[in-house]
Amino acid sequence: SVSFSSHLDIENIIWQKLLANVACNCVAAMTGLTSIHILADRSTRTMLEGLAEEVAQVARVKGLSFPALDDPKAYVVAAFAGTKDNKVSMLQDIEAGRPTEIGTLNEAVVREAQALGVRAPLNEMVTQVIRGKELFNRLAKSAA
């Protein structure tokens, strides 16, 4: 027998997961650091928390409501701390020279913010940085 549960508020569940991934993955990919080091350093932790606040703002304007919106900084810090010293997928992709999921994470937040008439400047910036890293990897491969 197979059991399952149904969630009528799937968009809230998706955005709660998105909140953690958007804030954590790109910071790791940009810095090459794992959560242990990112959370211990004031500048990288501030970046992570700023991204979390920005995603939460977009979610609120969108009319969503889920527990992590009460304190998005604490939520992403706890979620990221749970990864210990593991390398998140976006960091692994950058290191391996593969395309990342930036388009479905930070860039998607930027598009949603624009559709709602709000800005997401931190997410715009990190999207551009990651796109630059992807370009660097492509150019390095073509030169090899």
Side-chain angles (χ1 to χ4, degrees), residues 39 73-83:
L39 294 176
K73 292 178 185 179
Y75 173 74
V76 299
V77 166
F80 206 26
T83 66

Side-chain angles (χ1 to χ4, degrees), residues 111-143:
R111 285 191 304 270
E112 188 65 29
Q114 290 169 342
L116 294 167
V118 297
R119 295 209 53 236
L122 295 177
N123 280 280
E124 288 179 43
M125 180 198 62
V126 298
T127 297
Q128 293 166 0
V129 170
I130 297 299
R131 291 292 185 205
K133 284 183 155 292
E134 290 175 333
L135 174 60
F136 178 85
N137 284 340
R138 286 193 306 276
L139 292 172
K141 278 185 181 178
S142 67

Side-chain angles (χ1 to χ4, degrees), residues 87-99:
K87 289 184 178 182
V88 297
S89 59
M90 192 179 293
L91 174 55
Q92 292 178 41
D93 289 338
I94 289 294
E95 289 179 344
R98 296 185 298 257

